[in-house]
Amino acid sequence: MEEKDYYYLKGETKVGPLSLNALKSEPIAASTLVWNSTLPDWVAANTLPELQGLFGAQPITPPPAQPASFNSQGQTFNGANVQPPMPENYMIWAVLATVFCCLPLGIAAIVNASKVSSAYMSGDYAGAQKASDAAKKWSIWTAIAGGIWLVIVIIFYAILFAAGISGALDSGY
């Protein structure tokens, strides 16, 4: 039978390769993470049958829970299927920008805002975030276009008013 090489973690440092006898003489605890080529991942030392005699009958404690960090499918990296929070849909801003500013651009903002919740509910978290970003972008562009249009209208009426005053002065009123 071929002798396995063992490794263990001492803090953040990997120690090894060690023979089984050498590993047994190392200062390891029951919760020390160990690994050999027959294991798919690091395990607590007291879970290996060849090391259980070192620790006696102690209860096996699960590793601490990992903080949730989401991938694009909404699963945590430790395998738990957890939904990330739904992105902002910017519907209020899209509607206000459409009503008070610029109708064609505002429609694009409303369409994208409505896509956020449907993509989120179907499990497409990346699509929901993309729709949220697009709704925000179109709402901002709608507001900017509305502001530019307002400035143009004010300038136009100012020119008409100035021309009206000038024409009235020329005609003797």
Side-chain angles (χ1 to χ4, degrees):
M1 181 158 93
E2 184 178 310
E3 181 75 21
K4 294 184 262 187
D5 287 331
Y6 289 86
Y7 296 85
Y8 74 95
L9 292 179
K10 186 176 189 179
E12 300 264 334
T13 307
K14 181 170 66 171
V15 179
L18 302 167
S19 67
L20 180 58
N21 288 333
L23 180 65
K24 287 180 177 181
S25 66
E26 291 289 320
I28 61 172
S31 61
T32 301
L33 295 177
V34 296
W35 180 84
N36 66 46
S37 60
T38 65
L39 299 171
D41 204 358
W42 294 85
V43 296
N46 65 346
T47 62
L48 294 178
E50 60 265 32
L51 296 177
Q52 285 181 347
L54 294 175
F55 312 111
Q58 296 179 347
I60 299 173
T61 57
Q66 299 292 323
S69 56
F70 300 103
N71 63 15
S72 63
Q73 285 75 39
Q75 296 176 336
T76 61
F77 291 110
N78 60 3
N81 190 8
V82 179
Q83 288 182 326
M86 186 169 89
E88 174 68 39
N89 65 10
Y90 299 101
M91 182 63 81
I92 293 173
W93 296 110
V95 169
L96 290 175
T98 302
V99 170
F100 293 114
C101 296
C102 188
L103 185 66
L105 296 176
I107 291 173
I110 291 172
V111 167
N112 282 296
S114 67
K115 288 180 183 179
V116 174
S117 62
S118 60
Y120 179 80
M121 293 304 175
S122 68
D124 182 11
Y125 306 115
Q129 185 61 53
K130 183 177 176 185
S132 173
D133 294 341
K136 181 179 180 182
K137 175 185 75 172
W138 283 108
S139 295
I140 290 170
W141 280 109
T142 303
I144 290 171
I148 291 171
W149 179 249
L150 182 64
V151 168
I152 290 171
V153 167
I154 290 172
I155 290 172
F156 178 74
Y157 279 114
I159 290 172
L160 284 180
F161 181 74
I165 289 178
S166 174
L169 292 176
D170 288 342
S171 66
Y173 285 108

